[in-house]
Amino acid sequence: MITMVMAEDHQMLIDGVLSFFEYNDEISILGTVNNGEDLVKLVSLKQPKLVITDIRMPKMDGIEATKLIKSRFPHIRVLALTMFDQPDAIKQMLDAGATGYLLKNSGIKMLSEAIEKVAKGETFFDPNVAFNFMNDYIDENSNIGKTEKVVLSNREKEILHLIANGKTSKQISEILFIAKTTVDTHRKNMIRKLALSNGNELVKYAIEKKYQF
């Protein structure tokens, strides 16, 4: 049995993970919190086998929380689950003691695999960040997830371009000559496809993936 706790400031993502693992006999989620301070307290109380944590959170970020957890409970494994793919953020998280690093848009199947590997004491890395650190942190024994390709329609890509350039749903509907409700539906579908938490993360995704004109 893999016991774990999770820290994430977007409750929608927490709810999604809880729902997915609700009937999994191999994984037991002992608790969830929305900030780093509460994560350290929860880990001290429950002492799980595995911790899943975001990086940017209120009160205390995931990097500092991981340092404290690993200093007090070195046997507890830490898996980062975040939107940050910048090398500095990844390096700081790994230096803090995390042995797994996963991007939020990697999909629930890859998350399941990462949980299994990290809980066993192995390392696991998102394929979209792994090769930047192959020499320093990752070797031939490391587990690297296989990319689950997300296919967006041409219309969805058009809307992402406009989202990245600051357009509202109403403005997008006028530019593309479609109903605002249709734009809103496309937004919801993209959030689901990309395994994002909300509209703000969709905007960030659109900008980071260079959908701006």
Side-chain angles (χ1 to χ4, degrees):
M1 172 70 73
I2 299 173
T3 55
M4 69 181 196
V5 299
M6 181 176 181
E8 164 63 50
D9 60 343
H10 291 110
Q11 189 61 41
M12 186 182 298
L13 181 57
I14 287 179
D15 292 343
V17 172
L18 288 173
S19 177
F20 183 81
F21 291 111
E22 183 177 2
Y23 300 108
N24 189 314
D25 295 332
E26 302 300 320
I27 295 174
S28 175
I29 300 177
L30 304 180
T32 63
V33 293
N34 302 116
N35 64 74
E37 282 188 6
D38 287 343
L39 174 61
V40 175
K41 294 176 184 176
L42 183 61
V43 169
S44 297
L45 179 65
K46 301 290 187 178
Q47 297 198 27
K49 182 175 291 185
L50 173 71
V51 171
I52 297 178
T53 181
D54 196 358
I55 291 182
R56 179 178 290 174
M57 294 185 293
K59 296 185 180 179
M60 180 188 296
D61 65 31
I63 295 169
E64 188 61 32
T66 297
K67 288 179 183 177
L68 290 174
I69 290 167
K70 295 298 290 185
S71 67
R72 298 174 187 177
F73 309 102
H75 62 285
I76 293 178
R77 309 295 178 179
V78 178
L79 168 64
L81 180 62
T82 178
M83 284 293 291
F84 289 101
D85 58 1
Q86 295 89 343
D88 285 348
I90 300 168
K91 183 178 185 301
Q92 289 180 58
M93 197 65 191
L94 298 178
D95 287 343
T99 51
Y101 199 100
L102 205 60
L103 299 180
K104 288 181 181 178
N105 61 5
S106 59
I108 196 71
K109 290 182 180 179
M110 194 181 296
L111 175 60
S112 299
E113 185 182 0
I115 289 171
E116 178 186 343
K117 298 295 185 184
V118 173
K120 290 195 300 186
E122 301 177 23
T123 56
F124 191 95
F125 296 93
D126 191 293
N128 293 304
V129 303
F131 295 103
N132 293 329
F133 296 90
M134 187 59 75
N135 294 326
D136 296 329
Y137 296 96
I138 302 173
D139 56 30
E140 65 274 8
N141 297 316
S142 299
N143 296 285
I144 300 173
K146 295 180 181 178
T147 302
E148 299 174 27
K149 188 175 181 180
V150 176
V151 179
L152 298 178
S153 68
N154 289 333
R155 177 63 86 188
E156 287 171 339
K157 291 176 182 177
E158 280 183 305
I159 292 173
L160 270 185
H161 276 296
L162 295 169
I163 288 173
N165 285 275
K167 303 301 182 184
T168 65
S169 289
K170 186 175 185 300
Q171 291 171 326
I172 293 171
S173 71
E174 293 170 350
I175 292 169
L176 299 179
F177 301 102
I178 57 178
K180 178 180 176 297
T181 54
T182 301
V183 177
D184 290 336
T185 298
H186 280 302
R187 282 179 179 265
K188 290 176 183 177
N189 288 340
M190 286 188 285
I191 289 171
R192 176 183 54 79
K193 281 185 179 182
L194 298 168
L196 304 176
S197 298
N198 52 41
N200 289 334
E201 288 196 356
L202 182 63
V203 173
K204 183 177 178 181
Y205 175 89
I207 294 172
E208 289 184 346
K209 297 302 179 182
K210 306 192 188 319
Y211 276 94
Q212 287 174 298
F213 292 118

